[in-house]
Amino acid sequence: MIKVVILGGGNIAYHLTTNLLKNKTTNVVQVYNRSIEKIQYLDNKTSITDKLTELKNADIYIIAISDDAISSVSSKLNFKNKLVIHTSGSVALDELKSTSNKGVFYLVQSFSKKQKIDLSQVPICIEASTEKDLELLAVLAKSISKTYYTINSKQRKSLHVAAVFVNNFVNHLYYIGNEICEENKIPFKILQPLIQETANKIATLSPFEAQTGPAKRNDTKTIKKHLAMLPQKQQEIYTLLTKSIIKTHGKKL
Amino acid sequence: MIKVVILGGGNIAYHLTTNLLKNKTTNVVQVYNRSIEKIQYLDNKTSITDKLTELKNADIYIIAISDDAISSVSSKLNFKNKLVIHTSGSVALDELKSTSNKGVFYLVQSFSKKQKIDLSQVPICIEASTEKDLELLAVLAKSISKTYYTINSKQRKSLHVAAVFVNNFVNHLYYIGNEICEENKIPFKILQPLIQETANKIATLSPFEAQTGPAKRNDTKTIKKHLAMLPQKQQEIYTLLTKSIIKTHGKKL
């Protein structure tokens, strides 16, 4: 069994802890959080603490806290022959300031405590400073998920930016769609099957092949009609994305 | 049985014809297309024609052709006591130039011939100039899908613009995500579960509640890092959407 200590009480820490407590490959010996209240629910399942000086002995220390705090917390974890890892998409391996061995364990998903997530379906990106540690992280990753990838810090940062586009920005376009529906007293749920299908499509088609709509067809008549219907903020976004689609598909405005 | 003639050989016409041929409520008496080759595959299933002057007698004539051609084709369909409808999201009811009764039958989904679609899950928006015709369209809609809505031409046009945001523009953001992955030799499929989850989430949360990411948190440090990594075209889109999210969630840059 791999002995792990988990540091953090946020969304990722919550989902990881829940999974690793049930996982037959791991033994969660302790969970740390600076505010003990947030991890009180774990009291009867494992040891909990709010003191970094009282961390137990483990093989891997998983830092699942906010990006800004990773350097400072990791600088206090100086154990010989132990592996200290973080779970952030945008923080480089060498931002870990521990003198222990270092690694990254990035779960490519957006987590909220309310939403149940099947971690076996979540790809995990691993990175480590030694081959041996990479193998250990691969064992851990395989015990959680069906897919894992070895990528370096630069790739991971790019992946994180790509995730901002396909997750945060996509959700904002859903928000605008919702706004337009509300203004016109149309139930937003009419669009749910279309939203679902748009996401499903790219499992089999590339986004380039899957592109449809007035911008793709360079249908200036429809584009003008749409722009005339929109308030300025939405117009700007409509115009920029339309131009970008037209450019991508090789036609000029 | 409702006797229908379908006009068109494109994606929507294809999916509608396939469905209505099997549908127990309808009898597809004929399919018209200006080029007969495209509907030749229907030859042993129903009558086919490429002549508008040879259309058979039916209760409903469904015009499922490109938006630009709806006025001109409909102007040639002048039958007494018949219903002539189109299937477009962005064309108003009164753009039908037929002297027959008029209606609209808009399937809120993006269709391609390659992709199988379960029409029972596709919401249908109906509109008609008389109550009687609206009832007839409701019967037709219910025979195809689990959900239908009565909305007017203005609402439908707004819905179509909203669909551009949540379908066409969202797909373009997938395209940019794919581009970033390719440039960094990361398999795009790593993002598929995140994309799926982003779409699933808004079935239970509003897009406002579901928003996450550096823009939502007004995390200027991460935003700056991301911008520095992107080429200009992607930078512009990143900046505009980030500003819009910050504005939506009440914080200033």
Side-chain angles (χ1 to χ4, degrees), chain A residues 82-169:
Chain A
K82 305 296 179 190
L83 182 57
V84 169
I85 64 178
H86 74 67
T87 58
S88 164
S90 59
V91 174
L93 178 81
D94 59 17
E95 290 180 59
L96 284 167
K97 298 304 177 195
S98 161
T99 57
S100 313
N101 294 338
K102 297 168 189 177
V104 181
F105 200 79
Y106 173 43
L107 286 83
V108 189
Q109 188 51 277
S110 168
F111 295 96
S112 58
K113 277 186 189 161
K114 285 182 207 165
Q115 209 86 7
K116 267 199 181 178
I117 287 190
D118 176 5
L119 291 193
S120 74
Q121 303 300 324
V122 175
I124 299 175
C125 295
I126 59 171
E127 182 182 6
S129 35
T130 73
E131 267 306 313
K132 197 178 138 262
D133 291 333
L134 200 61
E135 273 166 36
L136 182 59
L137 289 184
V139 172
L140 184 63
K142 275 189 250 182
S143 78
I144 297 172
S145 170
K146 282 180 189 165
T147 49
Y148 78 95
Y149 299 85
T150 304
I151 65 173
N152 62 36
S153 287
K154 189 175 168 289
Q155 284 176 313
R156 185 160 32 76
K157 280 188 185 182
S158 301
L159 183 60
H160 189 248
V161 181
V164 168
F165 278 90
V166 304
N167 169 22
N168 305 153
F169 291 167

Side-chain angles (χ1 to χ4, degrees), chain B residues 150-166:
Chain B
T150 304
I151 65 174
N152 63 35
S153 287
K154 190 176 168 289
Q155 285 176 311
R156 186 160 32 77
K157 280 187 185 183
S158 300
L159 183 61
H160 189 248
V161 181
V164 168
F165 278 90
V166 303

Side-chain angles (χ1 to χ4, degrees), chain A residues 207-212 215-218 243-252, chain B residues 171-172 175:
Chain A
F208 185 88
E209 295 168 310
Q211 190 65 54
T212 56
K216 160 77 186 298
R217 296 191 306 272
N218 200 11
K243 275 186 187 163
S244 181
I245 293 171
I246 292 173
K247 212 173 167 186
T248 302
H249 291 270
K251 290 169 183 172
K252 280 177 188 166
Chain B
N171 184 74
H172 188 59
Y175 171 80

Side-chain angles (χ1 to χ4, degrees), chain A residues 171-172 196 200 207 211 244, chain B residues 168 171-172 196 200 207 211 244:
Chain A
N171 184 74
H172 189 58
Q196 213 74 45
N200 294 344
Q211 190 65 54
S244 181
Chain B
N168 306 153
N171 184 74
H172 188 59
Q196 213 74 45
N200 293 345
Q211 190 65 54
S244 181

Side-chain angles (χ1 to χ4, degrees), chain B residues 137-194:
Chain B
L137 289 184
V139 172
L140 183 63
K142 276 189 248 183
S143 77
I144 297 172
S145 170
K146 283 181 188 163
T147 48
Y148 78 96
Y149 299 84
T150 304
I151 65 174
N152 63 35
S153 287
K154 190 176 168 289
Q155 285 176 311
R156 186 160 32 77
K157 280 187 185 183
S158 300
L159 183 61
H160 189 248
V161 181
V164 168
F165 278 90
V166 303
N167 168 24
N168 306 153
F169 291 167
V170 160
N171 184 74
H172 188 59
L173 296 185
Y174 296 159
Y175 171 80
I176 294 174
N178 190 14
E179 244 185 343
I180 296 172
C181 286
E182 278 183 0
E183 279 158 20
N184 294 280
K185 301 200 172 82
I186 308 159
F188 180 56
K189 67 174 179 198
I190 296 188
L191 292 171
Q192 186 67 36
L194 177 62

Side-chain angles (χ1 to χ4, degrees), chain A residues 184-231:
Chain A
N184 294 280
K185 301 197 173 84
I186 308 159
F188 180 56
K189 67 176 178 195
I190 296 189
L191 291 171
Q192 186 69 35
L194 176 63
I195 284 169
Q196 213 74 45
E197 174 64 15
T198 307
N200 294 344
K201 236 181 196 173
I202 56 155
T204 49
L205 294 175
S206 76
F208 185 88
E209 295 168 310
Q211 190 65 54
T212 56
K216 160 77 186 298
R217 296 191 306 272
N218 200 11
D219 173 355
T220 46
K221 204 174 134 190
T222 302
I223 292 168
K224 271 182 196 161
K225 272 204 258 178
H226 284 175
L227 284 172
M229 291 164 65
L230 295 170

